[in-house]
Amino acid sequence: MLRTALLILTLGLTLPVIAASAETNSPPNKIQVVKTSPQGDADNQDGPINKLLHLQKLIATDISQLPHAQGEMKQFTEYRIREHATRFHQRLAILMEDDEFDKSLLLPLIQPYLTFIDQVSAYYADDIHRLKSQLGKDNDNQTMLALANRERQQDEMLNAKYDILTWLSQLGEDVTAAKEELTQTLIKRGDILNSLVLFIQDKLQFAVDEVAEAGKDVTSEQTTRVLHLKERLALTSSSLSSTIGLLDALRQDTTILKQTLFSISGDITQDVLNINVVSTLLEEWWDKAKTQLIDNGPGVMFKLFIFMLILFLAGLAGKAVKRISRRAVSNSKLKFSKLLQDFFVSLSGKVVFALGLMVALSQLGFELGPILAGFGVAGVIIGFALQETLSNFASGMMILIYRPYDVGDLINAAGVTGKVSQMSLVSTIIKTLDNQRLIIPNNKIWGDTINNITVEHQRRVDMSFGIGYGDDIEKTEQVLKSIVDKHPKVLADPAPTIKLHTLGESSVDFIVRPWAKPEDYWDVYWDITREVKMRFDQENISIPFPQRDVHIYQTHPSALPSE
């Protein structure tokens, strides 16, 4: 603590000296020009310098207050010092990159700034030492997090020091010894951080395994420990990454450090194209693969062989069961519909293969109990998510069981007329009479009236023909009967019906109702209609059409009204 107080006092004395030295070391002619000329190059040079001096004064003020600050006020004061120092550093960087700026003016500011950075680094090192002395008590997790955060702040100082040494070298100063000292510090720091990252990773893995083993009985302490270790690993990995960047800039070999960082974060951007890193990682992975292959290879290969063999046999068994099922359902006395036959055949093969797959998975070490339980849970979730689809599925099952239609039947359902082409448990494919392919959900069909037009072997063709009131009724009956009897597709049984039906306003109407096979319906209808017209013309039987008589009565002129 005494050393910390002395360092803070030194910092408090250093910053005013920095400002004073910046003023006293400036060339006299420059200061004179600044005071007497409001315009010109001198003003352009002096403006940035004054801003830097102002930031130095702010930093010196905050440092003087740091020994008296406690608790959160101390953290706030440190925050202000870091904030002003960052702005100071950024302004220096901008001026060093400005080709038109006289960089010699910056030398009196950069040299004291290097001293300031060293003093802040020493202050952080003392605080790190103090935090380490508190370990072993009740709050190690919080202490280690505070240590990781201090190390990140130390990274900022080391990066700033590297920049300063680079600037001094550009200004002609000899910084060889300082760079060598920084290099040795970074090498030692990289080695410690490398081990620390691996150590935290092992602890994190152990903590994660504990949480996984605890399952639903996991405690809040175990969860908090995992979160703290993850945060520490992220902070420490970031410090290691920063150290690697500085060592690379100093042309040092960082292959081992990059391997650790790569294995922790999987960050491909961490110079993954470095041939040394890639080759070393590949060698390690290949060695592990060879070890696993030698130790466990024969057993794994045998299990894979058994797995593939069981799947192959399950496929053959599935095909055999499908053939047996097809014969069984096609020869069954229950007279299954074509749709139901296809359903049973397909289901039997899939069930056999699924059983074979489960047996094969058990040979690889999978527990079938959790898998089946998972299927059950997934089934409940899917059931809620796919209610509409399950409604179609249920309707499909009802259609298969009650068989209102089969493949090839001409039906009218859900407002559609056509032949059933194909059916699944979810939908039915219907081809309309004009050869359109419609896919209709099964719940739409099952929830509507189903008219199976071709389910019966006979269908009556209903037609009506009218003749004039002056035509011979008996002759007409003979002509109609002759036409129907001669048609090859009209069935003899049931016998056709030809009767005088109604006496209309302008015609005497006969009904003609022959029977035909469902597939011959339209042929019979069209052929008989055509033949009736031709025979009626030959036999001079009229086909009346609506007529209206108009009677005109002429009125005597005397009856017209006078104007």
Side-chain angles (χ1 to χ4, degrees):
M1 295 301 293
L2 178 59
R3 182 183 174 189
T4 302
L6 290 175
L7 286 171
I8 294 173
L9 180 61
T10 303
L11 290 174
L13 295 174
T14 300
L15 267 294
V17 170
I18 293 174
S21 62
E23 294 176 358
T24 55
N25 291 334
S26 298
N29 58 339
K30 292 285 182 182
I31 298 298
Q32 186 66 26
V33 170
V34 168
K35 290 182 179 180
T36 58
S37 176
Q39 304 292 334
D41 186 64
D43 284 338
N44 294 336
Q45 301 287 324
D46 182 59
I49 297 296
N50 286 335
K51 291 179 181 179
L52 291 172
L53 292 174
H54 177 67
L55 286 173
Q56 284 182 336
K57 291 178 182 179
L58 292 176
I59 295 172
T61 301
D62 290 332
I63 289 177
S64 65
Q65 296 175 358
L66 190 59
H68 310 290
Q70 298 293 332
E72 190 170 344
M73 196 62 193
K74 179 181 178 181
Q75 296 176 1
F76 173 70
T77 305
E78 290 182 359
Y79 173 80
R80 277 180 54 84
I81 294 173
R82 288 198 305 272
E83 183 184 19
H84 292 143
T86 300
R87 290 168 58 189
F88 183 86
H89 190 92
Q90 290 173 346
R91 290 183 182 277
L92 279 177
I94 293 172
L95 294 176
M96 287 299 300
E97 293 178 358
D98 189 354
D99 295 334
E100 298 180 359
F101 189 82
D102 185 3
K103 297 180 180 56
S104 62
L105 296 175
L106 298 176
L107 188 59
L109 297 173
I110 294 177
Q111 289 173 332
Y113 180 45
L114 178 60
T115 304
F116 166 72
I117 292 297
D118 288 337
Q119 296 292 348
V120 174
S121 296
Y123 172 74
Y124 286 157
D126 274 2
D127 199 43
I128 290 172
H129 180 73
R130 178 185 62 81
L131 290 171
K132 289 180 179 178
S133 66
Q134 296 178 1
L135 293 174
K137 300 179 181 179
D138 295 336
N139 201 15
D140 275 9
N141 285 332
Q142 294 296 335
T143 303
M144 291 302 296
L145 279 176
L147 275 170
N149 278 301
R150 274 302 190 203
E151 291 292 353
R152 286 293 297 124
Q153 294 169 356
Q154 190 73 287
D155 294 334
E156 296 173 1
M157 294 300 102
L158 292 171
N159 278 281
K161 186 172 183 178
Y162 174 80
D163 289 342
I164 294 169
L165 293 178
T166 303
W167 296 337
L168 289 173
S169 178
Q170 293 175 1
L171 295 174
E173 296 293 313
D174 184 11
V175 293
T176 304
K179 275 197 173 182
E180 180 62 27
E181 181 184 357
L182 177 62
T183 301
Q184 295 304 319
T185 300
L186 289 171
I187 291 174
K188 182 179 179 181
R189 179 177 176 79
D191 180 63
I192 295 174
L193 289 173
N194 185 69
S195 300
L196 186 59
V197 164
L198 296 173
F199 173 72
I200 297 174
Q201 185 190 28
D202 289 342
K203 294 193 69 175
L204 176 60
Q205 184 61 51
F206 181 76
V208 170
D209 291 341
E210 280 188 337
V211 170
E213 185 176 353
K216 63 179 181 179
D217 298 325
V218 63
T219 63
S220 59
E221 293 181 359
Q222 290 174 316
T223 304
T224 303
R225 179 172 176 77
V226 170
L227 294 176
H228 283 170
L229 287 171
K230 284 185 176 180
E231 188 175 355
R232 281 177 55 193
L233 183 61
L235 290 171
T236 309
S237 299
S238 180
S239 293
L240 180 60
S241 177
S242 177
T243 301
I244 290 173
L246 290 174
L247 287 172
D248 283 341
L250 293 168
R251 301 175 183 250
Q252 299 297 311
D253 184 13
T254 58
T255 302
I256 297 176
L257 303 181
K258 288 178 180 177
Q259 291 172 15
T260 300
L261 191 62
F262 183 86
S263 65
I264 294 298
S265 63
D267 187 0
I268 301 178
T269 61
Q270 289 293 332
D271 204 11
V272 72
L273 296 180
N274 186 314
I275 190 63
N276 294 327
V277 176
V278 175
S279 60
T280 305
L281 287 175
L282 290 176
E283 288 177 2
E284 291 181 359
W285 293 341
W286 175 245
D287 291 340
K288 290 181 181 179
K290 285 195 298 185
T291 302
Q292 291 291 330
L293 188 62
I294 293 173
D295 295 342
N296 305 318
V300 172
M301 294 300 295
F302 180 73
K303 289 182 178 180
L304 288 175
F305 172 74
I306 295 297
F307 176 79
M308 298 302 295
L309 179 62
I310 293 175
L311 286 184
F312 176 72
L313 295 176
L316 294 179
K319 292 179 180 179
V321 170
K322 286 175 70 174
R323 287 196 295 269
I324 295 173
S325 299
R326 189 177 299 280
R327 292 178 182 175
V329 296
S330 60
N331 298 327
S332 174
K333 295 181 179 180
L334 297 176
K335 297 181 179 180
F336 292 123
S337 66
K338 182 70 168 57
L339 293 174
L340 197 57
Q341 291 179 26
D342 293 341
F343 171 73
F344 278 126
V345 170
S346 176
L347 182 64
S348 62
K350 291 177 181 177
V351 168
V352 171
F353 185 80
L355 292 175
L357 178 61
M358 291 184 186
V359 174
L361 289 174
S362 67
Q363 298 302 310
L364 294 179
F366 290 94
E367 294 290 338
L368 297 183
I371 293 177
L372 295 176
F375 283 152
V377 175
V380 174
I381 297 173
I382 293 172
F384 281 108
L386 302 176
Q387 294 184 28
E388 186 70 20
T389 302
L390 291 179
S391 174
N392 290 324
F393 181 86
S395 299
M397 290 298 299
M398 299 299 290
I399 292 172
L400 289 175
I401 293 172
Y402 287 99
R403 299 181 295 176
Y405 56 81
D406 203 349
V407 173
D409 286 350
L410 180 66
I411 67 171
N412 182 289
V416 175
T417 300
K419 284 188 177 182
V420 178
S421 174
Q422 186 179 348
M423 178 189 168
S424 67
L425 288 177
V426 177
S427 62
T428 297
I429 299 177
I430 293 179
K431 282 191 176 181
T432 62
L433 299 177
D434 57 349
N435 204 33
Q436 297 184 53
R437 189 171 183 265
L438 304 180
I439 301 175
I440 305 174
N442 285 335
N443 64 344
K444 300 293 184 183
I445 296 177
W446 187 249
D448 196 5
T449 301
I450 302 175
N451 179 16
N452 193 330
I453 300 172
T454 57
V455 69
E456 299 295 338
H457 299 294
Q458 300 162 341
R459 186 180 177 189
R460 193 178 71 185
V461 184
D462 290 353
M463 295 178 288
S464 176
F465 301 102
I467 64 173
Y469 272 92
D471 293 318
D472 190 342
I473 294 177
E474 292 183 358
K475 180 181 179 181
T476 302
E477 286 181 346
Q478 293 176 0
V479 170
L480 291 175
K481 188 176 184 304
S482 172
I483 293 172
V484 171
D485 290 343
K486 289 181 179 179
H487 197 287
K489 293 184 178 180
V490 172
L491 299 177
D493 186 25
T497 300
I498 301 173
K499 298 292 183 182
L500 191 151
H501 183 52
T502 58
L503 300 176
E505 293 182 359
S506 58
S507 63
V508 177
D509 298 327
F510 283 85
I511 58 169
V512 179
R513 294 176 178 174
W515 291 82
K517 293 180 180 180
E519 60 270 22
D520 297 333
Y521 178 90
W522 290 109
D523 289 339
V524 171
Y525 186 96
W526 293 326
D527 291 348
I528 290 180
T529 301
R530 181 176 183 274
E531 188 64 23
V532 165
K533 175 64 171 71
M534 294 175 64
R535 287 290 302 276
F536 277 12
D537 289 344
Q538 292 175 8
E539 301 292 339
N540 293 321
I541 300 174
S542 64
I543 300 177
F545 50 86
Q547 300 181 27
R548 190 176 300 275
D549 294 335
V550 180
H551 300 275
I552 301 174
Y553 298 94
Q554 185 173 8
T555 305
H556 194 274
S558 61
L560 296 175
S562 60
E563 295 183 0

